[in-house]
Amino acid sequence: MSTGVVFRPQQPPQELREVVRAADEAGVPELWLWEDCFLEGGLTAATAALAWSERLRVGIGLLPVPLRNPAVVAMEVATLAHLFPGRSVATMGHGVLDWMAQVGAGVDSPMTLLREHTEAVRDLLDGRSLTTSGRYVALDGVALDRPPAERPPLLVGARGPRTLRLAGEVADGALVDHTGSDPATVRRARGLVDEGRSASGRPGRAVLTVYTELDPAAPDLVARVTERVDEIRDAGADTVVLQGTDERPDPRPLVEALAGAGLLPG
């Protein structure tokens, strides 16, 4: 079981470096970044975070698929994999549908787009040459000239049952946001992701990463962190990622609480 913290985009990007240093020095395994319209770019922030750290695994949660061509996503993720082997995780997702419509990227079938896009990114990163003509994704003999030696984990951001099953089927697992972090919902997500993986016939167990929100200024923060991580882990999560609140987004108190709770490696 792994743990991590979120650098929320409500914090100015100028503060990212100090958060990266604090997490890296404390031994936090994972730092996660959001790409929210219209705040910060996930890939650019992830590149900076990886360059500023020595050992952090940096996750992007998530990249809205309506905004990018899958070939471009595969190129970007492959570049991170070459520069920082074994230290990046990318998550595909619908994005906030109102925002997608606002920028002229809305589609009639978000589920179809998510499936087509995620499968294309996965296969390109696996070194395959793709010729496909789907409802939204059309590629003609496209292949990466430099696919990574090992594909980075590819997750799908999911809430509903169809998307959770899709995550297990076409990706390496699911990322669940903080609205689904109560134990009962996590257990349900675990089961649905596993259903998708079983139906796909693909080997291995799908991973489940769960965000959970805690007030960094709460009293007895170490005890609260310990309790929350334990209950989400016991419900079936592989990684529990702590995020601050809208009012207090800075995760550094959460980093200290993870260390105080003995939830960091070493």
Side-chain angles (χ1 to χ4, degrees):
M1 202 278 298
S2 184
T3 57
V5 296
V6 174
F7 179 86
R8 294 185 58 148
Q10 285 79 11
Q11 286 187 267
Q14 298 92 318
E15 296 180 10
L16 176 59
R17 187 168 189 168
E18 292 306 312
V19 170
V20 167
R21 285 178 171 172
D24 206 35
E25 291 172 3
V28 174
E30 301 187 11
L31 175 72
W32 282 78
L33 306 166
W34 293 358
E35 182 171 272
D36 267 4
C37 297
F38 300 95
L39 288 164
E40 297 167 12
L43 286 161
T44 45
T47 303
L50 288 161
W52 288 329
S53 64
E54 296 296 328
R55 35 145 305 279
L56 271 177
R57 192 183 198 200
V58 175
I60 307 169
L62 48 76
L63 298 172
V65 298
L67 296 182
R68 293 181 178 85
N69 184 285
V72 175
V73 175
M75 290 165 58
E76 298 282 11
V77 173
T79 300
L80 289 181
H82 285 298
L83 293 173
F84 311 100
R87 293 180 52 210
S88 62
V89 183
T91 307
M92 309 292 107
H94 297 301
V96 177
L97 298 184
D98 287 347
W99 289 342
M100 299 303 102
Q102 189 178 356
V103 299
V107 297
D108 292 332
S109 179
M111 283 294 296
T112 301
L113 171 58
L114 183 58
R115 174 183 290 276
E116 292 181 359
H117 186 109
T118 304
E119 288 179 331
V121 171
R122 180 198 68 201
D123 290 348
L124 289 170
L125 289 170
D126 281 338
R128 299 178 185 176
S129 177
L130 293 187
T131 296
T132 182
S133 181
R135 182 172 179 180
Y136 298 109
V137 173
L139 301 172
D140 184 6
V142 176
L144 296 179
D145 286 348
R146 294 191 184 93
E150 182 176 351
R151 173 171 56 79
L154 192 66
L155 305 183
V156 165
R159 286 182 179 174
R162 292 177 62 204
T163 314
L164 285 161
R165 290 191 187 96
L166 181 73
E169 180 184 349
V170 305
D172 297 308
L175 172 65
V176 176
D177 70 20
H178 76 281
T179 62
S181 65
D182 63 279
T185 304
V186 173
R187 279 190 289 271
R188 172 176 164 272
R190 174 81 265 170
L192 290 166
V193 170
D194 289 343
E195 283 179 20
R197 175 51 57 92
S198 178
S200 75
R202 298 169 60 220
R205 180 177 185 265
V207 301
L208 183 62
T209 296
V210 178
Y211 288 162
T212 188
E213 186 174 277
L214 285 168
D215 184 351
D220 301 321
L221 185 59
V222 170
R224 289 171 184 253
V225 165
T226 301
E227 180 182 13
R228 185 71 59 83
V229 170
D230 284 348
E231 66 183 13
I232 295 174
R233 175 200 60 200
D234 292 345
D238 299 290
T239 300
V240 181
V241 184
L242 308 180
Q243 69 179 59
T245 61
D246 288 345
E247 296 77 15
R248 299 183 181 91
D250 190 343
R252 280 172 282 191
L254 299 174
V255 168
E256 295 174 4
L258 282 170
L263 292 169
L264 301 179

